[in-house]
Amino acid sequence: MNDCIFCKIMSNEIPSFCVYEDEDFKVIMDRYPAYKGHVLIIPKEHHIDIFDMPDYIASKMYPLAKKFAICLKNTLGADGINIVQNNGKAANQAVFHFHLHVIPRYFNDNVRLNAPTTYQCTVEEIEEVANLIKENL
């Protein structure tokens, strides 16, 4: 997909803070995180949404999400985790390459999902958290 940002990340045309990669997935830090430690699990193959994704990829998604939920909870001391995935414009899907959000949550963090984020961070902060996650996987 020539204009897909995630396909460009998969082919290393666009840089990312990758914290995990295997034959099927790349896990990167979200560049516009809902909160500190927000990662995206992205299939390497282009699938528009869950309806377009084959079962063999879908069956590998939640074991990987669980691994990252545990890692983020332990590494960052999160009180909880949101696992979010949007399918279609009506569900606020913004990038039409399937991806799963894993978002650390804290009591009183004021995070509003599916709304413009108010959390501000620098690229350096994202890199710091990426390194923490890599060390604790």
Side-chain angles (χ1 to χ4, degrees):
M1 306 318 276
N2 293 339
D3 60 344
C4 174
I5 190 167
F6 289 158
C7 287
K8 289 179 179 181
I9 288 171
M10 293 305 134
S11 66
N12 296 314
E13 291 177 54
I14 296 176
S16 67
F17 292 104
C18 179
V19 295
Y20 176 85
E21 185 170 2
D22 64 23
E23 63 188 24
D24 298 310
F25 299 98
K26 188 178 265 196
V27 181
I28 66 170
M29 302 302 296
D30 193 306
R31 179 59 189 96
Y32 302 99
Y35 210 76
K36 178 181 179 178
H38 179 169
V39 299
L40 301 174
I41 300 174
I42 308 168
K44 288 185 174 180
E45 296 176 0
H46 183 90
H47 306 292
I48 295 169
D49 54 27
I50 199 163
F51 310 111
D52 183 47
M53 189 170 54
D55 288 347
Y56 77 92
I57 293 293
S59 70
K60 296 177 181 182
M61 184 70 61
Y62 262 82
L64 189 54
K66 179 180 178 184
K67 178 178 184 163
F68 272 89
I70 291 167
C71 177
L72 294 172
K73 186 173 185 345
N74 293 338
T75 301
L76 301 175
D79 297 314
I81 298 287
N82 279 120
I83 297 175
V84 179
Q85 200 277 312
N86 303 321
N87 296 284
K89 287 183 181 183
N92 295 319
Q93 185 176 3
V95 177
F96 291 87
H97 180 130
F98 182 95
H99 56 288
L100 188 73
H101 299 259
V102 183
I103 307 166
R105 296 300 305 273
Y106 303 86
F107 291 111
N108 302 312
D109 63 15
N110 296 316
V111 170
R112 296 178 311 145
L113 297 178
N114 287 335
T117 183
T118 57
Y119 178 69
Q120 300 291 315
C121 65
T122 65
V123 170
E124 292 78 15
E125 289 170 315
I126 293 172
E127 183 176 22
E128 177 184 338
V129 175
N131 289 332
L132 275 173
I133 293 168
K134 286 184 210 179
E135 292 171 10
N136 289 284
L137 268 179

